[in-house]
């Protein structure tokens, strides 16, 4: 039987307020298999190193991994200033080292978000208002646009209003100054709120976050995926996994075929451009 204060009135799990971290990689869906393996390994390793550098007990985190993403619930008493400041600075340093001598398209670049709020374990991860809010901040158009317009920056960080107010405002708990952040609106799916974004080593206040830029970034949040599994492709037939006229975004196209006839065309991804197809 559920108990108040433990499992909740409806058995929804223990009520807890915890420090939360959410991380996601830019451009992961458009990377090949080898690079995806490299990115996943780097995310795990670099977050562990950053946690150690910040004095955070990584083994005590409750995590939910998703390939290019990480959601973590930190234990009670975990230091908010350490996660916002030391952890993020170490993560940014680790990303720069990983990206050294890599081509631009092969660099690992992350969006990260920090929030403190209510959450509880659920059947398929975590439930509560806080996991929803931190996910919306991590994926918001402004954070995406900031990373897009600062191509040399490997990390963009978004803080919830709660964390910014309690940890950064007043400049008492972090080495990051309040004026290094920029307040932005967050309008993702059903969520409406605000976040404070920071890009280590860059002045995010100078980044263009006008309506047109934010709208473009919002359209880029969806990954286009297509998978086609066919037996034989007859002569002169055409099979395409993904065919799009979008100029930007992440695309994954996959076609599996047994036999391909002469002059047949099998394409995983095709993009229509103003000048034709590529």
């Amino acid at each position: 039987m559920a108990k108040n204060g433990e499992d909740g009135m409806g058995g929804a799990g223990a009520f807890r307020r915890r420090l939360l971290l959410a991380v996601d990689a830019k451009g992961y869906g458009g990377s090949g298999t080898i690079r995806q393996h490299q990115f996943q390994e780097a995310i795990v390793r670099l977050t562990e190193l950053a946690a150690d550098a910040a004095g955070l007990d990584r083994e005590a985190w409750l995590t939910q991994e998703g390939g290019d993403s990480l959601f973590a619930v930190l234990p009670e008493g975990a230091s908010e200033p350490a996660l916002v400041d030391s952890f993020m600075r170490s993560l940014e340093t680790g990303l720069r080292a990983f990206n050294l001598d890599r081509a631009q398209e092969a660099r690992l670049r992350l969006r990260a978000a920090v929030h403190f709020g209510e959450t509880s374990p659920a059947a398929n991860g975590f439930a509560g208002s806080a996991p929803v809010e931190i996910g919306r901040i991590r994926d918001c158009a402004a954070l995406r646009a900031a990373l897009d317009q600062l191509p040399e920056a490997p990390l963009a960080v978004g803080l919830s209003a709660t964390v910014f107010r309690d940890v950064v405002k007043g400049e008492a708990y972090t080495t990051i100054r309040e004026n290094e952040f920029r307040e932005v609106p967050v309008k993702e799916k059903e969520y409406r709120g605000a976040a404070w974004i920071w890009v280590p080593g860059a002045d995010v206040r100078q980044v263009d976050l006008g309506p047109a830029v934010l709208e473009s970034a919002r359209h880029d949040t969806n990954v286009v995926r297509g998978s086609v599994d066919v037996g034989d492709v007859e002569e002169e037939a055409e099979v395409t996994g993904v065919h799009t006229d979008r100029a930007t975004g992440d695309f994954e196209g996959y076609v599996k075929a047994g036999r391909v006839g002469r002059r047949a065309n099998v394409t995983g991804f095709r993009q229509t451009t103003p000048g034709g197809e590529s």
Side-chain angles (χ1 to χ4, degrees):
M1 177 180 294
K3 298 179 180 179
N4 294 344
E6 295 182 6
D7 293 329
M9 293 285 290
F15 177 86
R16 299 168 180 161
R17 292 191 183 278
R18 292 288 189 270
L19 182 59
L20 308 178
L21 168 70
V23 173
D24 193 79
K26 173 179 171 59
Y28 178 86
S31 303
T33 301
I34 293 177
R35 190 176 299 162
Q36 287 181 356
H37 277 282
Q38 294 173 343
F39 281 2
Q40 288 192 31
E41 291 171 356
I43 290 170
V44 172
R45 179 172 56 84
L46 294 178
T47 54
E48 289 179 348
L49 290 173
D52 288 342
L56 298 168
D57 185 1
R58 176 64 178 82
E59 293 185 357
W61 295 9
L62 300 176
T63 60
Q64 180 177 330
E65 292 85 6
D68 61 333
S69 65
L70 168 70
F71 173 76
V73 178
L74 277 65
E76 186 175 8
S79 171
E80 294 174 60
L83 184 62
V84 171
D85 194 338
S86 301
F87 176 89
M88 293 302 175
R89 291 191 186 279
S90 178
L91 181 59
E92 192 254 355
T93 299
L95 287 167
R96 288 193 181 278
F98 176 82
N99 292 333
L100 190 65
D101 296 330
R102 282 176 170 261
Q104 182 69 34
E105 65 275 10
R107 294 176 184 174
L108 175 58
R109 307 177 70 214
L110 300 178
R111 301 186 316 278
V114 179
H115 183 33
F116 185 90
E118 173 267 328
T119 186
S120 62
N124 194 32
F126 299 89
S129 60
V132 173
E133 183 170 350
I134 194 174
R136 301 299 183 253
I137 292 172
R138 180 198 62 192
D139 295 336
C140 74
L143 201 60
R144 290 177 180 273
L147 209 56
D148 285 342
Q149 295 195 47
L150 295 167
E152 296 305 313
L155 176 67
V157 182
L159 304 184
S160 69
T162 300
V163 173
F164 179 80
R165 180 192 66 232
D166 295 346
V167 177
V168 177
K169 196 171 183 179
E171 303 181 354
Y173 300 111
T174 70
T175 63
I176 315 166
R177 301 279 67 88
E178 184 177 336
N179 62 10
E180 294 181 57
F181 286 81
R182 178 173 178 174
E183 183 180 2
V184 297
V186 179
K187 299 179 180 179
E188 300 296 325
K189 297 183 179 180
E190 76 293 337
Y191 179 79
R192 296 293 181 271
W196 277 258
I197 63 176
W198 169 54
V199 179
D203 189 352
V204 73
R205 296 169 300 173
Q206 302 303 315
V207 174
D208 182 7
L209 296 179
V213 173
L214 294 183
E215 190 63 25
S216 175
R218 186 168 290 111
H219 287 161
D220 290 348
T221 62
N222 294 322
V223 178
V224 177
R225 294 183 174 90
S227 178
V228 179
D229 190 344
V230 295
D232 295 338
V233 181
E234 301 296 332
E235 292 188 14
E236 301 184 6
E238 181 174 309
V239 179
T240 302
V242 171
H243 186 183
T244 179
D245 60 359
R246 287 175 51 186
T248 59
D250 294 336
F251 308 94
E252 296 178 10
Y254 173 81
V255 176
K256 180 180 179 181
R259 183 187 63 84
V260 179
R262 291 183 301 172
R263 295 186 297 276
N265 188 1
V266 177
T267 305
F269 167 70
R270 177 177 296 154
Q271 181 183 51
T272 301
T273 63
E277 292 187 348
S278 62

